[in-house]
Amino acid sequence: MLGPVILAASRSDRMRRFISAAPGTKQVVDRFIAGEGVDDVVPIVVDACGRGLEVTLDVVGEDITTPEQAAAARDAYLELIARLKDLGLGTKAEMSVKLSMFGQSLPSPTTALNGEPSGLADKFPGGHELALANVRPVVEAAAEIGTTVTLDAEDHTTLDSMFAIHEELRKDFPQTGCVIQAYLFRTEDDARRLAAAGSRVRIVKGAYKEPASVAYQDKGEIDKAYVRILKVLMEGDGYPMIGSHDPRLISISQELARRAGRKLDEYEFQMLYGIRSDEHVRLAAEGHRMRVYTAYGTDWYGYFMRRLAEKPANLLFFARSILTKG
Ligand SMILES: Cc1cc2nc3c(=O)[nH]c(=O)nc-3n(C[C@H](O)[C@H](O)[C@H](O)COP(=O)(O)OP(=O)(O)OC[C@H]3O[C@@H](n4cnc5c(N)ncnc54)[C@H](O)[C@@H]3O)c2cc1C
């Protein structure tokens, strides 16, 4: 029951101020966030790749309120890509982006960049086009250094816009990936549409607070949906990326991949930085592609709260560390 309460708190400015200022917070945040800036994260990337892992890098900070912040988000990714260029890691280091941070979450009006009405305001309210305009140079820069970008899935109200941007980007950059969430009723259909040649799709359980009208609420139902979607992806022609720490789902994925005749480099596992790190190494040592989703940046509140919501024990640890430091 705690998960939904924590997810609700992740939208509260008062809680954000309280938690950000609490004395024990940093110690707990550091478990999940790889550092504040590019200089912190680059050595972590080098170390992970040196140990046979791969990474997808996320600059945290989805709660923007101005177009200038959206442009700054774009620039932060461009700075990261410029640094990765020197490392020559290719697809071993890719990027994950949240379109909200690129302007999708900004309120209307939806105008084209030249200021003319775009005609899309009914279909995609908010900053759909701004997000597309900001993410495109990042996808281009990633392609120039031989890697790619995956569009994260946020709450269900943003997904039509995300899939439309994904489709648009794939016209020029077919390797652009996207994420689908097993908890949503719509996702089996999305998976069928996306499981086509050349597509890269990450399947996750889903981390947002969603109403019963659009999403399974029961963990068992979500796991069953995850397996159904996995089957669609494994039997399809795309490249499945299995985003989960759940040992049962990982062994089911291996079995489904085997049954679908997929070789080890025809799918990959993905886990979050700081969670089940031994498992990252174990799967990589078995010959699997294992990509660690590595988040960094100063605006970590939303990302951190979702990690607390996923595992109530994290909350207890967090509460203890606030009390002992406070
Ligand atoms: C690479 C990656 C990318 C993701 N991208 C998105 C996205 O774009 N959109 C989205 O909605 N969600 C995303 N998520 C989050 C996802 O939706 C789940 O909330 C999260 O992965 C927890 O689900 P699980 O599959 O690991 O299974 P669970 O059943 O939640 O966890 C299985 C086990 O993993 C461990 N574990 C899981 N979470 C934690 C945690 N926070 N702290 C400590 N241990 C933990 C525990 O041992 C737990 O028993 C992503 C997850 C991963 C791994």
Side-chain angles (χ1 to χ4, degrees):
M1 285 316 286
L2 269 176
V5 176
I6 302 169
L7 288 176
S10 76
R11 310 303 314 160
S12 154
D13 279 340
R14 261 176 81 187
M15 280 305 283
R16 170 194 287 268
R17 282 195 297 275
F18 170 73
I19 287 179
S20 302
T25 299
K26 187 167 182 330
Q27 183 194 343
V28 189
V29 168
D30 284 351
R31 174 178 167 198
F32 301 110
I33 300 286
E36 293 195 345
V38 185
D39 289 337
D40 300 314
V41 84
V42 162
I44 290 172
V45 170
V46 172
D47 174 64
C49 294
R51 291 185 294 123
L53 303 169
E54 307 191 14
V55 293
T56 182
L57 293 159
D58 169 41
V59 184
V60 289
E62 63 233 47
D63 295 317
I64 64 146
T65 52
T66 66
E68 289 74 23
Q69 288 173 309
R74 175 200 62 207
D75 294 346
Y77 274 95
L78 292 176
E79 183 195 3
L80 167 65
I81 294 168
R83 291 290 293 276
L84 291 177
K85 184 178 178 186
D86 301 334
L87 301 177
L89 294 168
T91 57
K92 284 192 188 326
E94 60 140 75
M95 263 59 62
S96 285
V97 304
K98 288 189 175 50
L99 290 174
S100 57
M101 187 178 167
F102 283 76
Q104 188 199 43
S105 60
L106 295 180
S108 58
T110 301
T111 49
L113 289 182
N114 62 9
E116 296 294 320
S118 68
L120 287 175
D122 290 343
K123 202 166 175 205
F124 300 119
H128 174 86
E129 283 189 69
L130 182 61
L132 176 57
N134 277 327
V135 78
R136 188 183 282 282
V138 173
V139 174
E140 267 166 13
E144 273 164 26
I145 67 159
T147 190
T148 185
V149 171
T150 296
L151 307 183
D152 282 354
E154 302 181 64
D155 79 71
H156 78 279
T157 62
T158 65
L159 296 182
D160 286 339
S161 162
M162 185 274 275
F163 287 128
I165 289 176
H166 178 241
E167 200 175 315
E168 191 58 34
L169 291 170
R170 285 201 71 215
K171 289 179 187 162
D172 296 320
F173 305 99
Q175 67 279 22
T176 308
C178 73
V179 180
I180 54 177
Q181 297 151 312
Y183 62 13
L184 294 180
F185 302 146
R186 65 175 285 170
T187 300
E188 277 182 75
D189 287 342
D190 289 328
R192 274 185 214 101
R193 178 174 53 81
L194 290 163
S199 77
R200 295 171 59 259
V201 182
R202 178 196 304 151
I203 164 77
V204 299
K205 288 188 184 177
Y208 294 79
K209 185 171 183 289
E210 296 291 9
S213 53
V214 299
Y216 300 108
Q217 308 290 313
D218 176 67
K219 254 179 135 358
E221 289 293 332
I222 297 169
D223 288 358
K224 278 190 219 156
Y226 196 111
V227 174
R228 289 196 298 274
I229 295 158
L230 256 178
K231 270 191 195 145
V232 172
L233 297 180
M234 288 293 186
E235 287 166 9
D237 295 323
Y239 180 75
M241 303 185 281
I242 301 129
S244 180
H245 314 92
D246 186 333
R248 213 176 123 254
L249 290 179
I250 286 159
S251 50
I252 291 174
S253 306
Q254 287 170 314
E255 177 56 21
L256 290 175
R258 197 189 58 73
R259 279 194 218 165
R262 283 181 180 264
K263 303 196 193 82
L264 288 182
D265 62 354
E266 290 175 336
Y267 64 99
E268 71 182 39
F269 290 108
Q270 298 190 349
M271 292 190 189
L272 301 177
Y273 175 86
I275 300 179
R276 301 200 73 209
S277 305
D278 292 350
E279 194 64 6
H280 306 176
V281 177
R282 186 188 72 77
L283 285 164
E286 279 183 5
H288 288 288
R289 290 189 78 180
M290 163 52 72
R291 194 177 295 280
V292 183
Y293 186 110
T294 307
Y296 73 97
T298 49
D299 194 1
W300 41 258
Y301 181 72
Y303 182 89
F304 174 65
M305 292 299 274
R306 287 193 294 281
R307 302 298 77 83
L308 289 189
E310 280 156 2
K311 189 158 175 172
N314 290 344
L315 187 66
L316 286 179
F317 178 64
F318 179 50
R320 229 179 278 134
S321 98
I322 287 187
L323 291 174
T324 51
K325 299 261 172 174

